[in-house]
Amino acid sequence: MNAKTTDSVPSRIPVSVWLLMSTAFFAPYIGGNLNVEASTLGPGIWNFLVSVFYGVDTPGFANLLVALGALICIVGLALSRRVLQLPSGRIAGALFALIGVITVSVVVSNFRSVSVAAWAQWVAYALVFFAAASAAGRVRGPVFILSAFVAGCTVSAMLAIWEWGLSRGIDPTWRVFAVWNNPNALAGILVIGFIISLALCITTGELSSLCFGVASAAIGFALFLTQSRGGVLAAVIGVAGLAAAVLTSGGLPKKLSLLRLTVCLGSIVVIVALVTLTNRSGQSGPGSRLAIATSASQQSIGFRQNLWRGAIKSVALHPVGTGIGTYGFYSAESGLTTETRLAHN
């Protein structure tokens, strides 16, 4: 009787998982901006909140909000005094070594405040990693956390679609970026959310499958509206990899219901239909950039190649390094590009 009662009543989600879910949700929603230049805000708390959730004026606070849930989680785990699951020694050692190198790089930086801010971000990444390894668990926790991540991607996707709806009358080829730094950056996070959403669509319950199917359609369409060739190509490869994983898995295909497969395939069909409808005007549609290799795209590829060459040349000029986060101050030294915030990736 007790066993039956336990099985029929789902256990509560631990607080630690809720905290990790908050980080997973906010990361693809407000985690895509850089502290590029100083700006001013109007007075009042409302202007500040708007800048965090729909703006580019306070990326530092937005990044803090992203990591806050996981940081509170790891503090709680440290105070709990119980045995914690940790990643393997090799992975943990490599991560500690990376953080150590980044810490040393702050010492050689001529722009300490910039390097300390970048250092704090990398330390937050490491703490989030350990928090997830210790608190996510192996069954329900990862599904909840990934679901929160997909929800965050869906919010960004809906903002991007809304943005395109407002802009298409002025510029039908407008590239969406929602509240991210640029369209390619948004595409990068949407690709991850798209593949995870499809995977959850075919591995969760039937009601959840419908929700993830709708999310997949929204994310996939927004990914197309970014007009990122790399993003679209990565999505195609990801879908092929997911299909291969399903077909080669020993027990998974037997568990797949017809509804789940229909929803998964239906979401892809919806994306194709939406892409076709928005591209009826031929060259003036949002897919024109994807279909035609224009001189502007060739110039973009050449600029990125120069960024990589410039970064290598910077290493030759500064073998000890210039400090984490300071590439923008040295990017023009090579003479290959103008001053650029990041070396592409």
Side-chain angles (χ1 to χ4, degrees):
M1 180 66 181
N2 291 337
K4 184 177 180 180
T5 303
T6 302
D7 292 339
S8 60
V9 180
S11 59
R12 292 186 300 175
I13 303 174
V15 175
S16 58
V17 173
W18 278 112
L19 291 170
L20 290 174
M21 287 171 63
S22 72
T23 291
F25 173 78
F26 284 126
Y29 174 27
I30 60 174
N33 272 300
L34 297 172
N35 223 343
V36 178
E37 58 185 18
S39 59
T40 58
L41 284 176
I45 187 64
W46 176 250
N47 290 324
F48 175 74
L49 291 176
V50 169
S51 73
V52 173
F53 292 100
Y54 193 72
V56 298
D57 299 316
T58 54
F61 188 84
N63 290 336
L64 175 62
L65 184 60
V66 169
L68 188 60
L71 296 181
I72 295 175
C73 173
I74 203 167
V75 170
L77 292 174
L79 297 176
S80 65
R81 297 183 179 181
R82 61 186 178 87
V83 178
L84 300 176
Q85 177 176 290
L86 295 175
S88 67
R90 290 182 179 180
I91 295 176
L95 189 56
F96 279 125
L98 174 63
I99 296 301
V101 171
I102 293 174
T103 302
V104 173
S105 80
V106 177
V107 179
V108 302
S109 174
N110 291 323
F111 304 91
R112 296 284 176 83
S113 60
V114 175
S115 293
V116 168
W119 171 86
Q121 284 189 318
W122 281 96
V123 171
Y125 298 153
L127 292 176
V128 169
F129 174 78
F130 281 105
S134 300
R138 298 185 179 182
V139 182
R140 298 170 68 238
V143 173
F144 288 130
I145 294 170
L146 290 176
S147 299
F149 180 80
V150 170
C153 288
T154 304
V155 172
S156 287
M158 296 305 297
L159 288 173
I161 295 171
W162 179 61
E163 173 192 341
W164 177 74
L166 295 176
S167 304
R168 64 176 179 172
I170 303 172
D171 182 6
T173 61
W174 178 263
R175 299 185 65 193
V176 299
F177 54 91
V179 293
W180 276 64
N181 183 260
N182 60 70
N184 290 328
L186 176 62
I189 201 70
L190 290 183
V191 168
I192 302 173
F194 180 61
I195 302 304
I196 292 176
S197 182
L198 287 178
L200 291 173
C201 182
I202 59 178
T203 56
T204 56
E206 293 184 347
L207 179 59
S208 300
S209 178
L210 291 172
C211 295
F212 287 121
V214 173
S216 299
I219 295 172
F221 183 50
L223 174 60
F224 164 74
L225 294 178
T226 65
Q227 301 181 58
S228 169
R229 292 188 183 87
V232 173
L233 177 61
V236 172
I237 295 174
V239 171
L242 178 62
V246 170
L247 294 175
T248 58
S249 176
L252 185 58
K254 297 178 182 179
K255 299 177 182 179
L256 294 180
S257 67
L258 181 60
L259 175 62
R260 295 179 195 173
L261 285 174
T262 302
V263 170
C264 185
L265 294 175
S267 63
I268 297 177
V269 171
V270 169
I271 294 170
V272 174
L274 291 172
V275 168
T276 303
L277 288 174
T278 56
N279 237 8
R280 286 182 301 178
S281 55
Q283 299 299 321
S284 62
S288 58
R289 182 180 182 275
L290 298 173
I292 302 174
T294 62
S295 58
S297 65
Q298 296 298 325
Q299 182 181 1
S300 175
I301 294 173
F303 184 77
R304 294 178 190 181
Q305 291 174 343
N306 284 334
L307 279 176
W308 303 334
R309 296 189 186 103
I312 295 172
K313 192 170 183 179
S314 182
V315 172
L317 293 172
H318 307 279
V320 181
T322 63
I324 187 71
T326 62
Y327 176 76
F329 301 107
Y330 300 89
S331 57
E333 275 187 333
S334 65
L336 297 173
T337 64
T338 56
E339 183 176 321
T340 307
R341 181 69 172 80
L342 297 175
H344 189 209
N345 291 348

